[in-house]
């Protein structure tokens, strides 16, 4: 189980490799929200998302004789790029198993970070079987996207930064809104804040209709999403909270907040206009909650941007909306 | 004349007010440029450009009994917003004189930062006469956009940060590419680097056809632009280098580099895709030079992004270009 010592050890392993992303703000956003809003811009992290933290943490924690054989991951998105870059910087091989219908740009980026991409047909092939066969043949270690203590510890390093940056701003009480899929980012941040800034509380944020974490927290047991597609925030849609992350979320976080796709797009446009950062739809749900769901929080909020890997046309669409 | 002591004093006055903007990088950009490229993301500064530094520096250096009467500036762009916000944070009045055909969003933003906007008709009214009358009546101090020692000192604080950040990266020799209009930013950075990191040399970057600084440096005397309109990089098009900035540029900087509008738009799209930052066309000319004019520089380069205040439709156009 991840604890603060593991997060601090992950920070030490990440030193000089991870970017300390800035805490931004704009009086224009404060005015919309009717309160102070700080924005932790993790879209500026290497590979464009926080996933690099967890990937580096997990890979750097492997025994050298295990690590040297390489790693494998299943992902078509931010986790793929995080693992690929972390592996390359460790000079070890990585295999990323992706559906053959994944966007070409994501496949190309993952390859460009040095990974071997193995494509499978979603309709006819079993992803897990393919992955199991390849890892067994080559002795690769599986890097899970969230349900892994070392991945959670790596994501928690963002929480250590938030605790420091909040202190620099004189903030000792605030809700910290975090885009949440499987819960690795939210639970890592929550563990760090619980130890370093107990007045800061994590509030998981999700797309409306895919709020498995909010519902699970409310019910006190893991609940699933009815569907896994249909939100523009696809990067943070997962079937259900993780077995490792849910107990942490349950102990330290909540209640959850759900936002609409339209609110996420409006938050992207405002982040463009007022903060000059590029945010992907799923990465914008916490900022959307801060701006448009003021009734769900009280006082100053810190909205975490989880990533900025968005296609040109989706971003242009967000900018073209008239609000 | 601005010197390093004045820049360090400006840094002290700016402490806690200015953002230390990050130095970003991406292996994808390195590959395009064929070398290491670092990017100083001053678009993430308050008001979306470096101009806040110079405005704060100049206003904070005024005697209290002078400052309290207020300040005035002529600008339809980034300088207007920098002065307006710096004045508001000092709790003093500001008047910004803008052409009545300036983009509505810029007028609204400047007002939203608390400034009184005075509009004039470019075809029938004399801007300077209007400004002189208002400042005389109210005892306002004019804050010039670049030809002011305290403004140059403020912009130079970005150079102190670049010197520190280059040292953190182990860089002691590099060209520092800076978007250049009147030369306040480039000359301030050059003075700071000359004192703190003499292996780093400023190379002014401009739009093709509006390269008054490059031509002035080559000729050894101030040369003017034939025209002041016709570039998408309008924010950095000025008639000629300043009387205070040119001697500094001449002593410490050059040669200049000119890039096309198309190159600036491509650099904007790459900054979006690879760095997750929003860059305005004029703010992108140094990155464009780093990426597409490799023959003009040798070794590692630091490209400064000067600002990110760009309209949604211009940004969408940059993203829609197929390269």
């Amino acid at each position: 189980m991840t604890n603060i010592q593991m997060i601090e050890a992950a920070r030490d392993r990440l030193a000089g490799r991870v970017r300390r992303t800035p805490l931004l703000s704009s009086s224009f956003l404060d005015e919309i929200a009717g309160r102070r809003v700080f924005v932790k811009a993790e879209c500026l992290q290497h590979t464009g998302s926080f996933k690099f933290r967890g990937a580096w943490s997990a890979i750097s924690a492997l025994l050298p004789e295990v690590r040297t054989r390489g790693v494998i991951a299943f992902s078509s998105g931010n986790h793929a790029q995080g693992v690929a870059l972390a592996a390359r910087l460790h000079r070890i091989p990585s295999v990323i198993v992706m559906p053959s219908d994944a966007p070409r740009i994501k496949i190309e980026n993952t390859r460009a970070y040095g990974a071997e991409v193995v494509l499978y047909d979603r309709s006819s092939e079993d992803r897990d079987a393919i992955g199991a066969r390849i890892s067994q043949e080559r002795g690769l270690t599986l890097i899970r996207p969230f349900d892994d203590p070392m991945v959670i510890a790596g994501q928690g390093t963002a929480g250590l930064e938030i605790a420091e940056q909040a202190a620099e701003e004189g903030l000792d009480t605030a809700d910290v809104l975090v885009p949440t899929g499987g819960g690795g980012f939210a639970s890592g941040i929550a563990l760090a804040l619980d130890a370093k800034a107990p007045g800061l509380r994590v509030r998981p944020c999700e797309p409306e209709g895919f709020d498995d974490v909010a519902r699970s927290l409310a019910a006190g047991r893991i609940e699933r999403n009815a569907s896994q597609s249909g939100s523009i925030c696809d990067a943070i849609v997962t079937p259900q909270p993780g077995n490792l992350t849910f107990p942490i979320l349950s102990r330290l976080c909540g209640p959850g907040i759900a936002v609409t796709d339209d609110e996420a797009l409006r938050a992207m446009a405002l982040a463009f206009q007022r903060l000059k950062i590029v945010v992907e739809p799923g990465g914008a749900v916490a900022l959307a909650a801060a701006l448009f769901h003021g009734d769900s929080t009280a006082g100053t909020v810190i909205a975490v941007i989880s990533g900025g890997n968005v296609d040109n046309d989706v971003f242009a669409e967000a900018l073209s909306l008239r609000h």
Side-chain angles (χ1 to χ4, degrees), chain A residues 64-87:
Chain A
E65 61 270 29
V66 174
R67 182 168 60 225
T68 193
R69 291 199 296 268
V71 294
I72 185 168
F74 302 101
S75 167
S76 59
N78 290 332
H79 181 56
Q81 297 184 52
V83 170
L85 180 61

Side-chain angles (χ1 to χ4, degrees), chain A residues 50-74:
Chain A
F50 72 96
K51 289 286 190 181
F52 176 74
R53 297 179 186 265
W56 182 281
S57 170
I59 291 174
S60 63
L62 296 173
L63 289 171
E65 61 270 29
V66 174
R67 182 168 60 225
T68 193
R69 291 199 296 268
V71 294
I72 185 168
F74 302 101

Side-chain angles (χ1 to χ4, degrees), chain A residues 271-288:
Chain A
F272 160 86
Q273 198 181 4
R274 301 307 182 187
L275 301 173
K276 312 306 173 188
I277 56 174
V278 176
V279 183
E280 63 189 57
V285 294
L287 179 58

Side-chain angles (χ1 to χ4, degrees), chain A residues 23 35-38 162 166-167 169-177 189 193 197-203 252 254 297-303:
Chain A
L23 194 68
R35 67 189 65 192
R36 286 286 274 151
V37 176
F38 292 96
I162 291 170
E169 298 288 347
L171 258 185
D172 53 13
T173 310
D175 276 354
V176 179
L177 313 185
I189 291 173
L193 296 179
L200 305 186
R201 180 176 180 82
V202 168
R203 305 285 304 273
L252 299 174
T297 58
T300 299
V301 295
I302 299 173

Side-chain angles (χ1 to χ4, degrees), chain A residues 49-199:
Chain A
S49 93
F50 72 96
K51 289 286 190 181
F52 176 74
R53 297 179 186 265
W56 182 281
S57 170
I59 291 174
S60 63
L62 296 173
L63 289 171
E65 61 270 29
V66 174
R67 182 168 60 225
T68 193
R69 291 199 296 268
V71 294
I72 185 168
F74 302 101
S75 167
S76 59
N78 290 332
H79 181 56
Q81 297 184 52
V83 170
L85 180 61
R88 187 177 76 179
L89 294 172
H90 275 94
R91 299 168 191 275
I92 62 166
S94 67
V95 173
I96 311 290
V97 183
M98 298 175 88
S100 51
D101 59 352
R104 173 182 288 272
I105 179 82
K106 295 195 172 174
I107 297 175
E108 284 174 4
N109 280 352
T110 306
R111 283 201 179 117
Y113 280 124
E116 176 186 344
V117 174
V118 173
L119 299 174
Y120 71 96
D121 182 336
R122 268 198 241 236
S123 61
S124 67
E125 293 185 285
D126 177 353
R127 185 189 81 163
D128 294 325
I130 293 170
R133 181 177 51 74
I134 297 172
S135 18
Q136 207 165 22
E137 281 170 10
R138 306 198 203 168
L140 305 177
T141 302
L142 174 64
I143 307 293
R144 292 186 174 80
F146 52 85
D147 234 12
D148 173 312
M150 286 301 174
V151 170
I152 296 171
Q155 319 307 25
T157 61
L160 297 178
E161 293 177 15
I162 291 170
E164 288 169 9
Q165 291 168 318
E168 288 164 14
E169 298 288 347
L171 258 185
D172 53 13
T173 310
D175 276 354
V176 179
L177 313 185
V178 182
T180 301
F185 199 29
S187 61
I189 291 173
L191 288 168
L193 296 179
D194 183 48
K196 300 295 178 185

